[in-house]
Amino acid sequence: MAVPPFDEMRGYGDTIRSPYRSISNWLDTQKIEDLRSKGIEAETVFRRIGITFNVYGEKDAAERLIPFDIIPRVIDAAEWRRLSAGIEQRVRALNAFMHDIYHRQEILKAGLIPPELIIQNSAFIPEMIGVDPPRGIYAHIIGVDLVRTGEDDFYVLEDNTRTPSGVSYMLENRETMMHTFPELFEQNNVAPVEDYTDSLLQTLASVAPSGLDREPTIALMTPGVYNSAYFEHSFLADEMGIELVEGQDLIVLDGEVHMKTTRGLKRVDVLYRRIDDDYLDPLVFRADSMLGIPGIFDVYRAGRVSIVNAPGTGIADDKAIYSYIPDIIEFYTGRPAILKNVPTFNCRKPEDLAYVIENMAELVVKEVHGSGGYGMLVGPSSTQEEVEQFRLKVKARPDNYIAQPTLALSTCPTLCNTGFGARHVDLRPFVLVGDRVRMTPGGLTRVALKEGSLVVNSSQGGGTKDTWVLEE
């Protein structure tokens, strides 16, 4: 008989775990109808302020709300200390790795990573070789996706070092919960998250080009209103009090990047860009890009503008590189990784490929560049036909896939159609790296709202929860 997954409120039985005692007592006093009513109120607020996203490739391009579950996910102070220590170790090592890959490549010389895995990787940008970003930092804003399988068992599922999204939902979830259930915050010592945008602004300012004799001018660059994360772009720019710009609002002139304003051109020192590398500069990358700024890469290489996150950071969150992250951490820090990776089969290795082909129905198989829950197979919940089709894809392009065991992700109490139910969750803490590492307590909890589902992505029907870190 299969062991049930670890439940973060009840463990493996019916004893309420200490972080959840207050929440459990509160739930015992609530009527389901009242909680559903509060959930509808929260949804109304989200619609009014425009918290929506688009799903690409669908005929119906209408904007959707990400479902919000009003029962918070709770992490105690000791758990968070261990997680935050492991996350900080990881983001420092990832940045050291990127600096090395684009400079001396010592890790390749040491034989820890096959050189072709870097050089032939589409996320590797040769134009970044020898470029020295301010403070030697490549990924300034990182989302680290964590899953839990037991009382003390946390795993890193993946690293997001390009343009991680979701922080606006973390902030709005908290504000909505504080407005809807103020009594809960009076009863619990919950660590605040609302200073994230102040921390983000401080981080961006700290990586401005050297030699400025004034406060740096910072702008957030968006692909435009049709991007799925446009709400977040607008939200963050507004919260930080900086300009939200598109490529057409920017121009390279006299070796500097300027934005067009009603008072003329104004130099931009730091650009928090939310567009992909390929579209950043049509003179260097995709020539057909209408989103980027011609000539910006030369300005960046000359140290006259800082781009956050730096071009080429995708090499650190490539899923084929993921299996080497424990070695990467030890190579650059001299210590074993505090947080474990999920055991991973790299299909470019013949022995791993043979195992994956034979056991695909029991594994989760992912494209190395896939995201958002797309380009993957969850073997145990797939049909035999789907498994066979994926098997053919993997055989045709083994270097394009990794595979992992199907983990028994932890569950949290969630408001469902039939009452309270246990639903699988993950966690994306957000980390800022500049003059120092700044980390917001908790992060964004994503929840698979379909019973038994392990896919938490909003584009695949998942929702979100407020994440509480209890202070001592």
Side-chain angles (χ1 to χ4, degrees):
M1 184 174 177
V3 177
F6 176 77
D7 185 78
E8 298 195 11
M9 186 165 85
R10 299 180 180 277
Y12 291 109
D14 288 325
T15 302
I16 304 299
R17 297 178 61 247
S18 58
Y20 272 89
R21 283 176 190 153
S22 177
I23 292 295
S24 177
N25 292 337
W26 172 72
L27 287 175
D28 287 342
T29 67
Q30 301 299 304
K31 296 180 179 179
I32 295 293
E33 315 85 70
D34 293 340
L35 291 177
R36 287 207 180 98
S37 177
K38 293 288 188 181
I40 293 171
E41 287 179 22
E43 182 177 304
T44 302
V45 171
F46 289 160
R47 285 195 183 279
R48 187 169 64 246
I49 62 180
I51 306 182
T52 58
F53 75 103
N54 294 313
V55 178
Y56 295 129
E58 292 195 352
K59 293 180 181 178
D60 180 10
E63 293 183 333
R64 296 184 186 176
L65 282 178
I66 295 181
F68 172 61
D69 183 65
I70 60 174
I71 304 175
R73 192 240 192 108
V74 186
I75 298 170
D76 71 23
E79 288 171 341
W80 179 247
R81 276 197 303 274
R82 186 163 70 89
L83 288 178
S84 57
I87 293 167
E88 179 166 350
Q89 179 197 46
R90 197 170 182 100
V91 300
R92 288 187 183 279
L94 289 173
N95 271 292
F97 167 68
M98 285 181 273
H99 188 277
D100 185 26
I101 286 302
Y102 289 115
H103 287 81
R104 296 178 60 85
Q105 300 187 342
E106 298 289 352
I107 198 167
L108 302 187
K109 296 172 185 174
L112 289 182
I113 298 178
E116 65 273 15
L117 203 58
I118 301 294
I119 307 304
Q120 298 176 10
N121 197 309
S122 62
F124 176 72
I125 296 183
E127 293 85 355
M128 282 296 293
I129 291 176
V131 176
D132 290 307
R135 300 182 184 273
I137 298 165
Y138 291 76
H140 315 78
I141 301 154
I142 302 175
V144 180
D145 290 351
L146 302 171
V147 294
R148 186 176 195 170
T149 60
E151 184 81 39
D152 299 310
D153 296 323
F154 287 89
Y155 293 88
V156 177
L157 191 61
E158 62 182 48
D159 305 285
N160 299 275
T161 57
R162 304 179 211 208
T163 53
S165 62
V167 73
S168 59
Y169 299 99
M170 174 190 78
L171 297 172
E172 291 293 356
N173 287 354
R174 174 59 55 85
E175 186 168 336
T176 298
M177 282 294 290
M178 292 182 74
H179 174 76
T180 307
F181 302 109
E183 72 280 6
L184 273 180
F185 289 89
E186 293 176 4
Q187 299 166 13
N188 294 273
N189 192 15
V190 183
V193 301
E194 53 269 20
D195 60 353
Y196 173 83
T197 49
D198 289 339
S199 295
L200 175 58
L201 190 60
Q202 291 168 18
T203 298
L204 295 173
S206 76
V207 295
S210 59
L212 292 179
D213 57 0
R214 53 176 171 76
E215 289 295 311
T217 299
I218 304 169
L220 193 156
M221 183 183 179
T222 176
V225 296
Y226 297 109
N227 184 265
S228 62
Y230 180 76
F231 165 79
E232 178 158 297
H233 306 164
S234 176
F235 172 88
L236 290 175
D238 185 59
E239 288 291 312
M240 288 188 287
I242 64 175
E243 293 295 330
L244 180 68
V245 297
E246 298 181 30
Q248 62 190 3
D249 302 318
L250 300 166
I251 188 172
V252 170
L253 189 65
D254 297 329
E256 298 173 345
V257 176
H258 298 266
M259 62 180 169
K260 304 165 188 175
T261 75
T262 55
R263 296 184 179 182
L265 298 179
K266 183 175 183 180
R267 180 182 170 183
V268 175
D269 306 301
V270 181
L271 192 63
Y272 176 18
R273 53 87 180 223
R274 295 295 293 261
I275 71 170
D276 293 340
D277 289 346
D278 285 349
Y279 299 95
L280 188 58
D281 186 339
L283 299 182
V284 178
F285 305 115
R286 285 187 54 155
D288 61 346
S289 172
M290 303 295 290
L291 301 176
I293 311 110
I296 189 174
F297 197 75
D298 281 342
V299 180
Y300 175 67
R301 278 192 292 213
R304 304 299 297 278
V305 69
S306 297
I307 298 177
V308 176
N309 286 347
T313 54
I315 194 66
D317 66 21
D318 180 85
K319 291 183 178 65
I321 299 295
Y322 168 88
S323 59
Y324 295 91
I325 294 294
D327 294 328
I328 287 171
I329 291 173
E330 191 154 6
F331 185 79
Y332 294 108
T333 70
R335 297 184 178 184
I338 296 171
L339 293 174
K340 295 177 287 189
N341 267 24
V342 177
T344 300
F345 301 97
N346 195 328
C347 293
R348 67 188 346 266
K349 298 178 180 179
E351 63 275 17
D352 284 8
L353 174 62
Y355 181 85
V356 171
I357 293 298
E358 180 69 24
N359 298 278
M360 190 168 287
E362 280 75 52
L363 300 170
V364 177
V365 188
K366 304 177 182 178
E367 289 184 358
V368 295
H369 297 302
S371 63
Y374 295 105
M376 65 182 288
L377 174 87
V378 181
S381 61
S382 300
T383 65
Q384 185 175 348
E385 181 181 1
E386 288 169 337
V387 171
E388 288 302 322
Q389 289 176 349
F390 225 84
R391 186 176 278 124
L392 293 175
K393 291 181 181 179
V394 174
K395 285 181 176 179
R397 282 286 313 278
D399 61 317
N400 195 44
Y401 294 92
I402 63 164
Q404 296 168 331
T406 307
L407 299 181
L409 304 188
S410 64
T411 59
C412 284
T414 302
L415 185 62
C416 309
N417 292 333
T418 55
F420 300 129
R423 296 292 183 266
H424 295 292
V425 293
D426 77 353
L427 177 65
R428 176 176 290 180
F430 294 95
V431 195
L432 302 171
V433 188
D435 53 335
R436 61 185 181 88
V437 175
R438 297 175 172 91
M439 206 175 314
T440 301
L444 180 67
T445 288
R446 300 183 297 180
V447 53
L449 295 174
K450 297 176 184 176
E451 186 174 6
S453 174
L454 297 172
V455 182
V456 299
N457 304 80
S458 56
S459 55
Q460 305 288 307
T464 66
K465 288 174 170 284
D466 190 15
T467 309
W468 289 10
V469 171
L470 301 181
E471 295 185 314
E472 290 175 325

